[in-house]
Amino acid sequence: MLSKTMAEALNKQVLMEAQSSQAYLAMGSWAEIQPGLKGVTSFFFKHSEEERMHMLKLIHYINERGGFAIVPELKQPTLTFVSLKQAFEELLKHELAVSASINDLVDRALSEKDYATHNFLQWYVMEQMEEEKLARDCNDKLEMVGDDRSGLYLFDRDIMTMDMEK
């Protein structure tokens, strides 16, 4: 059985995962109207779906453990970006914030001696390690490419294989 404070904290994470999904959906929509970013578009749409799955996993856990998962109201995400580099910088900032939130949840679970929730959250800890690495790798590659169009072409082509390596 979840404590009231743990259920509230997990519901805040539901919100964060939902906001991540929305943010990546908006990034994908923006990328889709940019010339030549088919790979990046697919990358962002795929990540939006992954974040939605993370949210659903939390919702099911909260409800199965005697809590009540709240479907959150979402604020409008950023819709446009000045560059691909800016979009991926936002992606990295978002993933770092999610990691910090997951770490806070793990800390709360341990302080409440809620070992079931602690165990459940370990999947998220590992997932965030992978997500952060992927976001850093993308940012590193875009830093190397700079404004070189042929480099951006190769980045767009290669991004889906980078995603498979995570």
Side-chain angles (χ1 to χ4, degrees):
M1 184 93 178
L2 288 176
S3 71
K4 183 179 179 187
T5 57
M6 182 58 74
E8 288 170 359
L10 289 169
N11 270 309
K12 285 181 183 171
Q13 191 65 36
V14 167
L15 171 62
M16 183 166 263
E17 300 293 342
Q19 287 174 329
S20 295
S21 180
Q22 284 288 95
Y24 301 156
L25 185 63
M27 289 175 180
S29 180
W30 172 82
E32 193 166 41
I33 63 170
Q34 306 306 308
L37 293 181
K38 189 173 184 169
V40 169
T41 298
S42 295
F43 174 88
F44 283 132
F45 284 149
K46 179 179 179 237
H47 280 273
S48 175
E49 282 297 314
E50 283 183 10
E51 297 302 326
R52 184 176 183 278
M53 186 272 298
H54 298 171
M55 177 192 66
L56 287 172
K57 189 173 181 158
L58 280 162
I59 286 172
H60 293 308
Y61 181 79
I62 294 165
N63 289 335
E64 288 169 3
R65 293 289 319 262
F68 176 54
I70 307 296
V71 176
E73 181 178 345
L74 301 177
K75 64 179 180 150
Q76 180 75 54
T78 301
L79 300 176
T80 61
F81 302 90
V82 296
S83 66
L84 189 59
K85 188 174 184 321
Q86 183 202 17
F88 275 91
E89 287 170 350
E90 288 298 313
L91 174 90
L92 177 58
K93 279 196 254 181
H94 216 82
E95 291 300 336
L96 292 171
V98 171
S99 292
S101 181
I102 294 293
N103 289 339
D104 289 345
L105 282 171
V106 169
D107 188 55
R108 176 179 296 278
L110 285 174
S111 70
E112 291 188 15
K113 296 185 179 182
D114 182 349
Y115 301 114
T117 299
H118 175 268
N119 187 51
F120 170 77
L121 291 170
Q122 293 312 298
W123 181 87
Y124 286 89
V125 171
M126 296 305 295
E127 181 69 13
Q128 282 310 119
M129 287 172 55
E130 293 171 2
E131 295 291 341
E132 280 185 40
K133 180 185 181 321
L134 178 60
R136 281 192 181 93
D137 288 349
C138 288
N139 277 277
D140 289 348
K141 287 183 185 294
L142 285 170
E143 186 68 34
M144 283 191 319
V145 167
D147 293 328
D148 179 58
R149 289 188 174 271
S150 60
L152 289 174
Y153 169 81
L154 292 173
F155 177 83
D156 183 71
R157 187 191 70 187
D158 293 344
I159 194 166
M160 294 310 287
T161 58
M162 290 171 61
D163 197 25
M164 289 188 282
E165 295 168 358
K166 98 172 181 153

